[in-house]
Amino acid sequence: MPLVKVGTRYQVSIPKTLAEELALKPGDYVEVNRQGKKLVLIPKVVIDREDAWFWSKKWQKMEREADEDIKAGRVKTFKNVEDLIKDLNR
């Protein structure tokens, strides 16, 4: 188990082997949690607020459903908007 030293500004260095296993790169973010007397680092991705809707549970569920429909062939394609509108009005 690697041993690291806490610096004067409370910084620690993640050993290279562990960082590589977790695909961490300089500039990445980690969440720091305390569990009893342990610190747990969890890699995190920061998402712009304007893009957060896409990553909501509801939207991701709908994305999975759409992917399933596409794989199952439950989709239609149209040559133009007029054909689409005709199909919608049936």
Side-chain angles (χ1 to χ4, degrees):
M1 179 96 13
L3 183 65
V4 298
K5 182 178 179 180
V6 178
T8 56
R9 296 178 63 191
Y10 301 99
Q11 293 177 317
V12 295
S13 295
I14 300 171
K16 184 177 180 181
T17 55
L18 295 175
E20 287 173 347
E21 288 174 15
L22 295 172
L24 289 173
K25 299 176 199 73
D28 283 354
Y29 286 90
V30 294
E31 181 180 286
V32 182
N33 290 317
R34 186 179 129 207
Q35 292 182 358
K37 292 192 175 222
K38 295 179 182 181
L39 292 178
V40 178
L41 304 178
I42 303 167
K44 293 290 181 174
V45 175
V46 178
I47 300 169
D48 287 335
R49 190 175 296 200
E50 64 188 27
D51 296 331
W53 61 269
F54 181 81
W55 299 105
S56 69
K57 288 181 182 181
K58 180 180 177 182
W59 191 269
Q60 286 299 302
K61 179 179 181 258
M62 293 187 308
E63 285 286 331
R64 285 189 296 279
E65 290 170 357
D67 288 341
E68 290 171 12
D69 287 341
I70 292 168
K71 286 179 187 174
R74 295 185 297 262
V75 294
K76 295 180 182 179
T77 57
F78 301 93
K79 292 181 182 178
N80 53 55
V81 174
E82 290 80 16
D83 290 346
L84 166 64
I85 293 171
K86 286 178 191 176
D87 188 75
L88 289 172
N89 290 329
R90 287 186 196 178

